[in-house]
Each structure stands twice: as structure tokens, then as C-alpha cells.
Amino acid sequence: VTTPQRLSFADVVKGVEMFDKVGIPCVAVVENMAFWQNNELSKRVEALLDEGASSSPLLPEATRKSLLDLVSAPQYIFGKGHRKRLAEMWGIENTYALPLEPALSEAGDSGCPFYLTGASSNPSIASQYDRLASDVVTEIHNLEKTKAARPEVIFDATRNMVVSITKGGEEQIISPVELRRRCRSPTNIKELITDDVKPIDIF
């Protein structure tokens, strides 16, 4: 779980790397306070335009649509965030952006889940929670299925190769330096990687 600020992004990177070291996968990224939409203003403007249109249109249709798009557009108060970057770095496919929404805060303060108190009045946020829950369950199910087929990974010092051996005995090899160069961690500075790099340990 993160927020759009750069400092929060740095914390998420540290967290993902920490969990990765102990073999705990991250299956989703949720960005809180990702944007703000003035839904009440949008409703009022639309109602005003519709009320005036009952006799004669207040604005040409194209102008009306542009105005509604303008007042309903998300405002990225804390910046656009880093969901895409996190997904590219770690291959996390499930990313979600939750808006600044008073109903979410009120639900948290009351101790009653938002899904029970505010879902009907905020269907778009509710659908995000639906997708999040469904995707997390699917990812965990997939992890359970692939766990049994996970290959054994060892370092063969004789060949100076990292070796992956499947349950069927198929072997794939890669040199430690090439493996390090392919690492997408932001702490991995390719220019500082030397040809004599070797793994300290393999989890």
C-alpha cells in the first residue's frame, strides 16, 4: 500500500525487496489518495445544465460536455504516483488507485468497513475493492498451484553459473553477472557491477 509521494515510493521499494528476500511475493499495489474528484460539484453542474435545458439549452452540446468533463476530471493533488513504475520494476500486474474520499476515512474511523457503509453511494470505489479482492484471491490460488512446480536454484561454483533445475530435471543456467545486470531493482546500478560478482546466498 502506497501513496503518490516519492518518499512513499522509496518505502514501497524497500518493502518489496525485504519481502522478496524472505520469499514472500507481493501480488498487488494499492495507491491511496491517488487523486481527488469533486463529485458533488459535478452533480450540481449537471443538474443546473439539465434544468436550463428543459426550456432551451444554456450551452451548445459540445461546450456542455467539455464543462462536465472539466469539473469531473480527477485532480492529482500529490502527483501522478508511481503505480506504473512499480509494476514495471517488479512485474506486479494488479495495481489500484483509490481516491481521496471522505466516506473511506469515515468508514475507517468508525471501524465499519467502507464496503458495508459507502459502497452503494460510491460504486466506482466499490468496484475497485471488488477487483482487488478477486485479483488477490486469484494470485494466491496461482501461487499455490505453481509452488509445487517451483524449480531448485543453486550456484555451481565449478561452472560459475546460477543453475535452475525443474522437477523434470531440465536445467537452465545464467552467469551471476548477467543475472545481476537483469535485476530491475532501483538499487542495482549496472555501471558498478563487476565481472567477478558472485551470489552470497540463494533463498
Side-chain angles (χ1 to χ4, degrees):
V1 178
T2 183
T3 57
Q5 294 92 331
R6 186 178 297 178
L7 183 59
S8 183
F9 166 75
D11 287 340
V12 168
V13 169
K14 291 177 183 177
V16 172
E17 288 184 336
M18 178 188 70
F19 284 122
D20 191 51
K21 286 180 180 178
V22 294
I24 300 175
C26 291
V27 298
V29 173
V30 178
E31 189 173 77
N32 284 327
M33 303 189 297
F35 58 91
W36 177 71
Q37 283 180 297
N38 195 333
N39 295 321
E40 187 60 32
L41 176 61
S42 299
K43 291 176 183 177
R44 290 184 179 183
V45 170
E46 187 169 14
L48 179 63
L49 294 174
D50 289 343
E51 182 181 341
S54 60
S55 54
S56 62
L58 294 176
L59 296 170
E61 182 58 31
T63 305
R64 179 183 186 278
K65 184 178 183 305
S66 296
L67 178 60
L68 289 174
D69 288 345
L70 180 64
V71 296
S72 63
Q75 305 297 313
Y76 298 96
I77 299 173
F78 302 111
K80 285 292 186 74
H82 303 277
R83 286 191 306 142
K84 182 178 178 182
R85 188 175 173 191
L86 286 167
E88 290 173 349
M89 285 169 55
W90 303 107
I92 301 173
E93 297 180 0
N94 306 310
T95 65
Y96 306 88
L98 296 181
L100 275 166
E101 171 55 55
L104 284 172
S105 178
E106 290 166 6
D109 290 343
S110 69
C112 187
F114 165 80
Y115 204 85
L116 298 179
T117 60
S120 59
S121 59
N122 296 275
S124 61
I125 301 177
S127 67
Q128 288 269 58
Y129 276 103
D130 277 336
R131 286 180 48 234
L132 172 60
S134 176
D135 288 343
V136 168
V137 169
T138 299
E139 288 290 341
I140 292 174
H141 180 66
N142 291 339
L143 285 170
E144 289 296 321
K145 287 196 301 183
T146 58
K147 191 174 181 181
R150 185 177 298 169
E152 178 186 6
V153 180
I154 61 172
F155 174 60
D156 186 339
T158 305
R159 293 186 288 174
N160 190 35
M161 289 287 178
V162 176
V163 184
S164 171
I165 307 169
T166 67
K167 296 294 182 182
E170 182 181 349
E171 186 178 281
Q172 294 180 325
I173 62 174
I174 187 172
S175 67
V177 66
E178 181 61 24
L179 182 61
R180 185 62 185 269
R181 284 173 178 154
R182 293 187 187 186
C183 176
R184 295 184 291 181
S185 168
T187 60
N188 189 41
I189 304 173
K190 294 182 180 181
E191 292 77 12
L192 300 181
I193 300 173
T194 58
D195 291 337
D196 59 349
V197 66
K198 287 183 172 55
I200 297 173
D201 201 353
I202 295 178
F203 294 93

